[in-house]
Amino acid sequence: MVSDRGASAHLGVGARPGTPVEDVLALVDAVLREAGLARGDVRSLGTLDARAAEPGLTGAAGVLGVPVRGFTAEELAAVPVPHPSALSLTATGTGSVAEAAALSLAASDAWGELLPGAVVEAVAGVMLLVPKRKNARVTCALAAYVPLRPNEDAPDVRLLHRAHGYIAGEPGSPPTIPTPHTTAAMDMHTHTDAHDLRHHGDAEVRDEKLIDLAVNVRTNTPPDWLRERIADSLTGLAAYPDDRAARAAVAERHDLPSNRVLLTAGAAEAFVLLARALPVRRPVVVHPQFTEPEAALRDAGHEVGRVLLREADGFRLDPAAVPEDADLVVIGNPTNPTSVLHPAESITALARPGRILVVDEAFMDAVPGERESLAGRTDVPGLVVLRSLTKTWGLAGLRIGYALAEPETIAALERAQPLWPVSTPALVAAEACMSRAALAEAEHAAHRIGVERAHLLAGLAEFDEVRAVEGAEGPFVLLWIDGADAVRERLRSLGFAARRGDTFPGLDRNWLRLAVRDRATTNRFLQALDQALLIGG
C-alpha cells in the first residue's frame, strides 16, 4: 500500500454536468480498491475548474474529507498523460482531465506548490497508481508522490508519456497477440556453450543506484525483530558456533530427526558439498534453472549433462526426458528463473535406487502453503532438499541455508564441510526463522507476493512485445522480449535493473527475469518498460 511508504494519494476526477455524487463515489471506491487503498488515504481531489463546483464532485470531496482543486484547461493540457483521449480534448480542452489533475496534485505535493505542466513529468517519485478508469458519466485516476528510499535514489525515474495502457482492461490498450517464437527442444548435451554460470542478479545493481528488480530477495527485510535477534547474538562471538539448537529447530519445523539436517552457509554451499562429497559419475541438471549447481559440479571436475525444458511446454518437467543412467539429478522447485512450480509427483518420479535427487526449494517458502514441497519426505530414495533463508528473510549477506536428506548423505556432506561453517549470528537467525510466528509471517508474505505478482503479470499482458511464462508461482517472473538485452540497457537508463536471461542454459538474449515488488514500484516499472520499448521502435 502506498500509505506504507509515507505517501498520500491524489484523485483526479472528470464528470459530466449533473452527475450524482453516488456515481462519482462508486468509481472512486473502485479505483481505491484497485490500488489497495482506503478513502482515508486520499489527500485531495482535482478536476477541471469549470466542473469544480459541481454538486457531485463537491459532495464526493465532502464524503472523503478533502478539498477540491480546480485546474484550467490550459494547465491540464500542458501535463503529458498516459491515456490521451480525442473526445476529452474536444470537450474540455485536455486529453485527460482525471490523469492530468491527479498528476498535477501529486507533483504539487512533492514541491509544495503548483508546477507548470511541462515540469510535472520530471518530478522523481510522482507516479500514476491507477490510470484512467471510467463509467458512463465519470473518469477517475489516482496518483501519488512517493519519496524515493536511499537505495532507490534514481533521479532518472520519472513519469513518461505512454502510447498504450498497461493495466488489463484499460480502454484503448492494444490486444495481446502472442509473438511466434521457436524454442529450444528438450535436449541432453554437455557444457560446450558459453553461458556465464557465475553471473548472478546482484551484478546488475552493484555500484549503481537503480531500483532493483534483478535480485529476488524480499524487500524491507530483515524485519526488525530478526535484526534484534541477530544483533543480540553478537555478544557471544568469542565462543565457537554451536549449531545444535538451530539444527533441532529446523528438524522440528520439518518433523524430521536432527541427523537428517545439515546447516550450510547458504544453499550455494550445499551445491559445492554435493559436487565434492558424493561419488557421482553421471550428473544431470534440469535447465533453465539456478546455475550454481552446474558450476559447482564442473568445478569439481564433473562432466555435466543437461535436460533443457522448452517454452512450448511451459518449461514443465517431463520425467522421461532425464536419462536413466543419471546418478545425480538437480532441479529447482519453484524453478529460478522460470517461476514454474512442478508437481511433487513429477519430481518424485525422478527417484531411482542409486540416484541422488536434489531439489532446490530456495523459493518454496514464497509459495502459499508450500504446496508441492518435498521437505520432510522420508519415503523418496536418494532425496536431498535444499532450503535457503536468504530470500524471504533478507539474509543474503549473512549466508544461511540447510539441506534435508538421508542420514548417510548428511554425514558425507558434513565431512566435506570446514569446521564451524555457519557463524553464530547465522545460526541464531536460522533458529528464529523456524518459530511459529516467523512461519506465519512468511506465509502472509507469500500471499502478498501472489497478489503483487498478479498485478505485475496483468500489466505485462498489455504489451504486444512481451510474453511472460505462464503459471508463475515464485517471487519473480520470466519474460520474452525480442531484443530484451537492448531493452534491459534502456531500462537501466530509466533507473531499473532487470536480470538478464542469457546466462541461463536454455535461454538467450531475448529473456529477462523480474522480481515481484510492491504495486507502486511495479506501476513505475511498467511505465519505464513502455518507454524502453518505444525508444527501440
Side-chain angles (χ1 to χ4, degrees):
M1 288 176 54
V2 174
S3 55
D4 292 339
R5 300 183 65 184
S8 297
H10 301 271
L11 286 165
V13 180
R16 294 181 183 179
T19 300
V21 64
E22 293 80 8
D23 287 6
V24 176
L25 286 173
L27 187 58
V28 165
D29 286 340
V31 166
L32 290 173
R33 282 195 301 273
E34 184 172 338
L37 300 180
R39 288 181 176 182
D41 294 306
V42 178
R43 184 167 179 172
S44 63
L45 185 154
T47 189
L48 189 68
D49 59 357
R51 301 279 194 271
E54 279 288 324
L57 293 179
T58 58
V63 171
L64 296 169
V66 299
V68 177
R69 173 63 189 266
F71 295 90
T72 68
E74 291 75 16
E75 289 172 332
L76 296 179
V79 179
V81 295
H83 303 85
S85 163
L87 183 62
S88 177
L89 184 63
T90 300
T92 64
T94 178
S96 171
V97 171
E99 291 177 320
L103 291 168
S104 294
L105 289 170
S108 65
D109 188 11
W111 282 79
E113 59 180 318
L114 182 64
L115 299 175
V119 179
V120 169
E121 69 167 346
V123 180
V126 168
M127 67 189 68
L128 202 60
L129 301 181
V130 180
K132 182 174 59 184
R133 297 289 184 255
K134 63 182 181 179
N135 59 29
R137 302 174 65 86
V138 187
T139 59
C140 183
L142 189 70
Y145 164 61
V146 180
L148 296 174
R149 293 178 292 192
N151 66 341
E152 293 182 345
D153 183 12
D156 289 334
V157 179
R158 55 183 181 167
L159 185 71
L160 297 165
H161 180 76
R162 297 178 46 82
H164 303 297
Y166 61 79
I167 302 297
E170 173 66 18
S173 295
T176 302
I177 303 174
T179 305
H181 177 56
T182 303
T183 58
M186 189 174 291
D187 189 23
M188 185 62 203
H189 64 281
T190 54
H191 50 265
T192 57
D193 59 275
H195 288 90
D196 181 4
L197 301 180
R198 293 297 189 188
H199 182 87
H200 300 297
D202 61 314
E204 309 283 353
V205 294
R206 193 178 298 146
D207 302 325
E208 293 192 51
K209 294 180 179 180
L210 300 173
I211 295 177
D212 180 13
L213 304 183
V215 177
N216 292 323
V217 174
R218 187 164 62 101
T219 56
N220 299 319
T221 54
D224 290 342
W225 63 265
L226 184 53
R227 293 177 191 270
E228 292 171 3
R229 288 286 296 274
I230 294 170
D232 290 344
S233 74
L234 300 181
T235 60
L237 292 185
Y240 285 97
D242 183 346
D243 72 354
R244 287 176 296 178
R247 200 167 187 170
V250 172
E252 182 179 1
R253 183 252 199 272
H254 294 291
D255 196 22
L256 293 171
S258 291
N259 64 354
R260 282 182 168 265
V261 176
L262 181 67
L263 298 170
T264 58
E269 187 204 7
F271 294 126
V272 174
L273 298 176
L274 288 163
R276 295 179 179 179
L278 302 182
V280 176
R281 296 174 293 98
R282 186 79 165 97
V284 169
V285 178
V286 179
H287 285 290
Q289 78 145 1
F290 185 49
T291 53
E292 275 301 318
E294 179 170 330
L297 287 162
R298 288 169 58 171
D299 288 346
H302 297 286
E303 183 173 312
V304 182
R306 292 176 179 167
V307 171
L308 298 182
L309 305 185
R310 304 190 312 159
E311 184 198 5
D313 300 324
F315 292 110
R316 306 215 167 252
L317 173 67
D318 176 5
V322 176
E324 281 295 325
D325 63 346
D327 58 359
L328 183 144
V329 178
V330 184
I331 185 169
N333 203 35
T335 301
N336 172 20
T338 65
S339 206
V340 169
L341 182 66
H342 303 286
E345 59 266 27
S346 295
I347 295 180
T348 56
L350 296 173
R352 301 281 190 280
R355 172 185 286 179
I356 298 295
L357 173 59
V358 180
V359 185
D360 177 9
E361 293 190 357
F363 295 100
M364 186 61 79
D365 57 357
V367 176
E370 297 191 359
R371 65 187 190 281
E372 314 304 342
S373 173
L374 296 178
R377 292 279 295 269
T378 60
D379 60 326
V380 182
L383 176 65
V384 179
V385 174
L386 303 182
R387 286 291 187 104
S388 171
L389 299 177
T390 64
K391 313 302 184 183
T392 289
W393 297 111
L395 299 176
L398 196 59
R399 311 307 307 142
I400 178 64
Y402 54 88
L404 308 173
E406 296 168 346
E408 298 77 13
T409 301
I410 292 296
L413 299 179
E414 191 169 18
R415 286 193 295 271
Q417 276 186 313
L419 292 174
W420 310 291
V422 182
S423 69
T424 294
L427 292 172
V428 167
E431 184 179 0
C433 291
M434 297 300 113
S435 70
R436 289 187 179 182
L439 296 176
E441 183 175 328
E443 180 71 7
H444 175 77
H447 282 280
R448 187 63 198 170
I449 287 168
V451 172
E452 298 298 351
R453 183 180 59 240
H455 179 72
L456 171 60
L457 289 171
L460 293 170
E462 292 302 309
F463 293 96
D464 286 348
E465 304 94 332
V466 177
R467 185 170 66 250
V469 174
E470 294 183 357
E473 296 280 359
F476 47 87
V477 298
L478 183 64
L479 313 179
W480 185 90
I481 306 173
D482 188 19
D485 52 348
V487 173
R488 182 174 63 90
E489 290 303 317
R490 296 183 205 120
L491 286 170
R492 293 181 71 83
S493 71
L494 297 168
F496 289 87
R499 173 65 160 88
R500 60 190 285 197
D502 61 339
T503 64
F504 294 100
L507 304 181
D508 58 25
R509 68 182 187 87
N510 296 314
W511 293 91
L512 291 177
R513 190 193 69 195
L514 301 175
V516 174
R517 297 295 187 232
D518 62 275
R519 184 158 303 195
T521 301
T522 293
N523 287 351
R524 291 159 69 187
F525 167 76
L526 292 168
Q527 294 180 58
L529 176 61
D530 185 58
Q531 185 73 3
L533 294 171
L534 290 173
I535 292 172

